[in-house]
Amino acid sequence: MTDSAQRSKEIRPFQVMAILAEAQTMQSRGVDVIHLEVGEPDFPTPEPMIEAAITAMRAGKTGYTPALGLPSLREKLAEYYQQRFAVNLDPRRIVLTPGASGALLLLSAARLNPNDGLLLADPGYPCNRHFARVFEAHGQLVPCGPEQKYQLTGADVREHWQPNTKAALVASPANPTGTVLSPDDLADLANAVREQEGELWVDEIYQGLNYTSAPHSVLSVAPDAIVLNSFSKFFGMTGWRLGWAVVPEAWVPTLDTLAQNLFLAPPTPAQYAALAAFTPDSMAILEQRRAELEQRRAYLLEALPKLGFNIPVAPDGAFYIYADASALTSNSLEFCAELLQDTGVALTPGVDFGDYQALTHVRFAFTTRLERLQEAVARIADWLETRRAV
């Protein structure tokens, strides 16, 4: 009676959550912890969006919406793609979900058969391969080093595509590396996947948090690509759990049926909050926050190499730095655990993101204010100096 299904035994725990739990326990004992581990910036949801949700709830708009979301929000998103990316979208192709995880859940259920393969970069966000496994498919990890920005390339697709591979999933900007695929990169990937008669899924969850170029969408160069996105990151709605997918119109009835059965509908208050995300007031707040994240990024890019961390590829977006810590450790999990216990600074070990060079990499999330980043760097510097003296 206590045996778990085999698929659940093959899904690794997310180590960062254990680190977060330990950090919170330490905080409960009065320890001053600096959180650089979890991908959640210290900004609250913009006030115009909070007010929109409150107004809707006070007006009694608290019941279920259609399974694929409010038509008005799907239309608003289509307008957003047109205005910001010059992409014409039929709103019916936009499927609203409980977070981007809900979108990936629907896509995995709808498109992956048992033993299908999902081609992924290693390092990459671990839950992507775990979603595939839940539906008896498999993540097919391709080692991707800094020379290719830790990203899958068209050449990788052509080399590693297998008879059972169904789709390739890439992220731009990426977690944990923050690297961005250019329009040319995305076009090459799309062509390579078409040659295999497969599907290209693109995670654009961190779209909008770009520091070296204007945000863009794969849909500008590959209208047949599948997009996953979220209101969590750029829009600051992590706890509201609202995301979306852009899919071929022919897939929508299947996704609608699955959504009805799996979660009925996305959260209603979150959808009304999201309707206010595109107003000039909200967008001004969001852009100000992006600029602040850019300052934090610049500070760490200068400070971390002085501590002994190598950053072979600077992040173009998101709010992460994926650092080579091979000069400091050969076991990233132990390194992060000891750092937390000794200094109160919480990082994410590379082992959370795959196997390739995972034991010598760590992820810094610049999700807290600059003064706290400076304090974290000072603590790490002192700790490393003590270790060297031993």
Side-chain angles (χ1 to χ4, degrees), residues 170-250:
V170 298
S172 180
N175 179 8
T177 64
T179 59
V180 170
L181 291 163
S182 71
D184 287 345
D185 295 332
L186 290 165
D188 184 39
L189 277 164
N191 288 333
V193 170
R194 287 191 204 101
E195 291 167 11
Q196 312 302 324
E197 298 183 349
E199 299 169 7
L200 177 61
W201 301 0
V202 182
D203 167 352
E204 296 183 346
I205 291 168
Y206 295 92
Q207 184 186 60
L209 295 175
N210 297 61
Y211 311 113
T212 62
S213 62
H216 55 269
S217 173
V218 65
L219 297 173
S220 299
V221 295
D224 57 338
I226 312 307
V227 166
L228 296 144
N229 212 320
S230 173
F231 285 97
S232 289
K233 307 303 184 179
F234 174 66
F235 294 100
M237 295 179 63
T238 50
W240 300 74
R241 309 313 303 134
L242 186 63
W244 74 89
V246 180
V247 300
E249 193 170 343

Side-chain angles (χ1 to χ4, degrees), residues 54-121:
I54 292 171
T55 298
M57 289 189 286
R58 284 179 173 158
K61 297 177 180 179
T62 56
Y64 297 128
T65 68
L68 299 186
L70 289 170
S72 56
L73 183 53
R74 297 167 79 185
E75 291 166 4
K76 183 65 71 175
L77 278 165
E79 292 174 11
Y80 179 69
Y81 275 95
Q82 172 58 49
Q83 294 168 1
R84 187 150 200 189
F85 309 115
V87 170
N88 291 316
L89 273 185
D90 187 326
R92 290 175 294 184
R93 293 181 56 198
I94 300 172
V95 173
L96 293 163
T97 57
S101 296
L104 188 55
L105 174 70
L106 288 184
L107 286 175
S108 299
R111 305 303 299 169
L112 298 179
N113 287 310
N115 296 317
D116 279 350
L118 182 64
L119 206 65
L120 300 160

